[in-house]
Amino acid sequence: RYDADINYRRWRDLKDYEEYLAGDPVLFLWLRALAVYPLPTWEITLAIGKALAPKGVVVNYDNLLKLSRIPWLQTGRLDPRLREALLENLDPEAEKLARHAVKEELEAVFNNTRNGHANLEAQTNLAIQQFAINPDDRAGQEAILYLLDQGIITKKQEAELNQVVGRHTGTTGSVAIKGGGTQKKHIGGDDLQTFLAKSLPGAPDRPLPPPRPFFTPEFWWSAGLTTVFLALLGIMRSLS
């Protein structure tokens, strides 16, 4: 059944994955849990699968084969909207187990990359996972605030943290879906900035970036080149 029309699936919406893994909710739980990390690798996949053993997940050849046919697990590129949909109703206990597994994998990477960009990236991803595991931990909040202030957290990472905070502070309700019916969805809740402001009331407001001066060295360089070009153009016209 899993071999049928694999190449003809759109692999875009959550429904496509629900249909592909229909009848295997535990494997679908494993797939959902993989979305806790934006850059899926087979090392992460295996680590999360093993961590989800208490939820009934079995890491074996057949299950890995089924997962391996999913395009974004082959390419390592998970669409942000699909990732958000996968995380939306992920079992909270399974999410914590998965994030702890990712955290351990990232710590191993951190220990092997003491310097350079890879080290900074590992530190940032570690801070995000730690915050997501326990958003109420003050040390984790301060780490995220620092990364925000330094401009290290990207827009995609901030969007992920917004979703984490929204699920943490919001309520679960039923919303209508296209085609009829309803599904559970987190409603309301704070965004990351609001949550941190409430949780760390003594922290200074994030400063706005200073305005970029208009008359920069680049401006004068460009103006000089323009002047030279116009002068040469005038000379050429006078000679013609």
Side-chain angles (χ1 to χ4, degrees):
R1 183 182 64 176
Y2 288 97
D3 291 324
D5 72 346
I6 292 294
N7 295 327
Y8 297 96
R9 290 184 180 274
R10 295 189 308 154
W11 300 111
R12 293 179 183 174
D13 303 322
L14 189 62
K15 185 177 179 181
D16 297 322
Y17 298 88
E18 290 174 332
E19 290 176 352
Y20 174 57
L21 297 175
D24 200 338
V26 175
L27 189 54
F28 188 57
L29 173 66
W30 185 0
L31 180 68
R32 277 187 181 274
L34 295 179
V36 301
Y37 192 63
L39 303 172
T41 65
W42 283 111
E43 291 79 9
I44 293 289
T45 299
L46 291 170
I48 290 177
K50 292 174 182 177
L52 292 178
K55 307 297 290 185
V57 170
V58 177
V59 179
N60 58 25
Y61 174 81
D62 289 338
N63 286 337
L64 288 171
L65 180 62
K66 294 169 189 175
L67 291 177
S68 70
R69 292 168 175 155
I70 294 174
W72 56 265
L73 281 174
Q74 299 172 13
T75 63
R77 294 192 296 271
L78 175 55
D79 179 78
R81 287 176 295 183
L82 175 60
R83 185 182 179 216
E84 183 177 344
L86 288 166
L87 288 173
E88 177 59 35
N89 291 311
L90 176 60
D91 173 69
E93 183 181 353
E95 181 177 355
K96 285 194 174 184
L97 290 171
R99 290 194 183 277
H100 274 293
V102 171
K103 181 172 174 286
E104 291 178 0
E105 289 294 308
L106 292 174
E107 285 171 345
V109 172
F110 173 74
N111 291 331
N112 292 326
T113 56
R114 289 294 184 183
N115 298 302
H117 175 74
N119 179 270
L120 178 60
E121 186 177 4
Q123 288 187 63
T124 303
N125 286 323
L126 267 172
I128 290 172
Q129 294 299 325
Q130 185 61 51
F131 178 84
I133 290 170
N134 184 10
D136 292 322
D137 177 63
R138 185 177 179 89
Q141 294 169 357
E142 291 175 344
I144 293 298
L145 182 62
Y146 173 79
L147 292 171
L148 284 169
D149 286 342
Q150 298 302 310
I152 296 172
I153 286 185
T154 66
K155 292 294 183 182
K156 287 184 179 180
Q157 290 170 331
E158 188 169 355
E160 175 186 354
L161 291 169
N162 280 331
Q163 187 183 17
V164 167
V165 170
R167 294 201 309 272
H168 180 64
T169 59
T171 58
T172 303
S174 297
V175 296
I177 59 176
K178 186 177 180 181
T182 60
Q183 71 176 18
K184 290 183 179 179
K185 192 174 181 66
H186 287 86
I187 302 172
D190 294 330
D191 61 14
L192 177 64
Q193 301 284 358
T194 303
F195 178 74
L196 290 177
K198 291 179 179 178
S199 302
L200 301 170
D205 293 336
R206 293 180 63 196
L208 293 174
R212 189 171 186 267
F214 182 77
F215 295 106
T216 62
E218 291 83 1
F219 169 83
W220 292 115
W221 174 256
S222 177
L225 288 178
T226 302
T227 301
V228 171
F229 173 77
L230 292 175
L232 290 173
L233 184 61
I235 293 172
M236 293 175 62
R237 284 181 176 175
S238 66
L239 295 176
S240 61

